[in-house]
Amino acid sequence: MNYAIFCYREDYKCLELCVGQIRQADPDCLIYLFDDGAAPLSKTHIPKGRDIFYKKTYFQRRGNLNGLECVRGMLSCMQDIPGSDPVIKIDADTLLMSIEEIKKSLYERRMLAGGYQCSVPFAWSGVCYWVTRRFLREALGVLVTREFPDRHDQTYPEDVTVSMLALYLYGRRGADVIEFQDGKFLIGIRTCDKRHLAELSSMARGVSAVHCGQVNFYRPIVERSGCSIREACARVMWEILHPGQPDGFSL
């Protein structure tokens, strides 16, 4: 399967763990890193391997992937991935635990795009969703042919906008919006307490993906260690994968 990660300079520690876990979940993976040209990874921090493909991008990301220009840029990047296989978009601060539900969505239910509903009704979480080449082609067609409201309160966050495009194009018969179901498939880590992380680590073995980017909950790590907030996310990722193991990531 193809994987698209839109990253920037501060993601380097998260990216190392994200890429490693993708390889564990899908040994046949091809990983495409789309770096932010305004704040790129240093050369020494770009993951290496025959399954890694790197490209620097220059579309405006408006912070955390917002705006129509950003959505167009992201979809165009995914469309440019060689071949015809679907693309899984995953965030650098997210651990892919299993692709079984994604495969069911694409190959059993024959969906053209899909993701996990989290905080916004009828919309995917941006941390992990999947799209076919048909969706990429037709979604970009919509973005260049339709008029969209251009007001200061229309921020067009990537996850909600891409979800709306999928539902607009295909409705529920072609766009999978998988219900939250009390974290059955996707969980977000909202603690940095080691005891709680050990419990969540066990739970994480049974879900599709784990988001470790809930930065408001990780500030105690920053205060204790002096690391950056994105490095704190990486430390939480480490604890989910290796609970209680002493390492450079230990809390």
Side-chain angles (χ1 to χ4, degrees):
M1 201 86 77
N2 298 304
Y3 297 84
I5 305 175
F6 294 85
C7 51
Y8 80 115
R9 180 183 300 137
E10 298 299 320
D11 281 336
Y12 71 103
K13 280 291 187 186
C14 293
L15 194 57
E16 177 183 326
L17 294 167
C18 176
V19 166
Q21 189 57 29
I22 290 172
R23 288 168 171 159
Q24 287 290 321
D26 183 2
D28 297 320
C29 63
L30 296 173
I31 301 171
Y32 294 82
L33 306 179
F34 297 105
D35 203 359
D36 187 352
L41 297 161
S42 70
K43 290 184 179 180
T44 58
H45 289 153
I46 299 171
K48 303 296 190 295
R50 297 178 64 183
D51 55 357
I52 297 287
F53 302 88
Y54 175 85
K55 179 180 179 181
K56 199 176 291 185
T57 67
Y58 293 93
F59 55 82
Q60 291 293 321
R61 300 191 180 196
R62 294 178 61 184
N64 189 25
L65 302 178
N66 295 291
L68 286 176
E69 179 187 351
C70 179
V71 174
R72 291 190 193 100
M74 293 177 68
L75 295 179
S76 295
C77 285
M78 289 189 274
Q79 185 181 49
D80 288 343
I81 291 174
S84 58
D85 287 342
V87 178
I88 299 172
K89 184 267 183 177
I90 187 167
D91 283 351
D93 56 15
T94 300
L95 297 168
L96 183 71
M97 307 304 292
S98 169
I99 62 171
E100 290 310 305
E101 192 62 31
I102 297 172
K103 288 163 63 176
K104 289 178 184 177
S105 174
L106 288 167
Y107 303 122
E108 293 184 18
R109 297 194 290 273
R110 310 295 295 178
M111 293 295 178
L112 295 165
Y116 303 108
Q117 180 179 278
C118 189
S119 58
V120 180
F122 305 109
W124 310 328
S125 166
V127 304
C128 181
Y129 61 81
W130 47 96
V131 292
T132 59
R133 301 311 176 98
R134 175 180 166 184
F135 168 77
L136 291 170
R137 182 177 66 253
E138 294 180 351
L140 282 166
V142 170
L143 287 174
V144 300
T145 56
R146 286 188 64 90
E147 181 180 354
F148 291 85
D150 184 18
R151 306 194 308 268
H152 72 278
D153 60 337
Q154 293 285 351
T155 57
Y156 295 102
E158 160 249 347
D159 47 3
V160 175
T161 306
V162 176
S163 307
M164 291 174 64
L165 279 166
L167 289 170
Y168 170 79
L169 285 166
Y170 312 122
R172 64 187 299 179
R173 295 190 177 184
D176 229 348
V177 183
I178 298 174
E179 297 175 23
F180 182 66
Q181 297 183 35
D182 295 321
K184 181 178 180 181
F185 300 111
L186 174 69
I187 60 173
I189 307 302
R190 299 190 172 195
T191 181
C192 60
D193 181 278
K194 292 190 72 168
R195 292 173 302 170
H196 295 156
L197 289 174
E199 295 172 3
L200 289 166
S201 174
S202 178
M203 182 187 302
R205 299 302 185 266
V207 303
S208 298
V210 181
H211 180 225
C212 301
Q214 309 282 330
V215 295
N216 292 336
F217 298 89
Y218 308 157
R219 299 206 176 272
I221 301 175
V222 177
E223 294 167 2
R224 288 198 300 267
S225 67
C227 68
S228 72
I229 192 63
R230 294 301 285 170
E231 289 169 337
C233 294
R235 293 181 180 215
V236 171
M237 293 171 76
W238 174 268
E239 289 291 326
I240 293 298
L241 293 174
H242 311 285
Q245 292 189 23
D247 191 272
F249 288 102
S250 63
L251 305 179

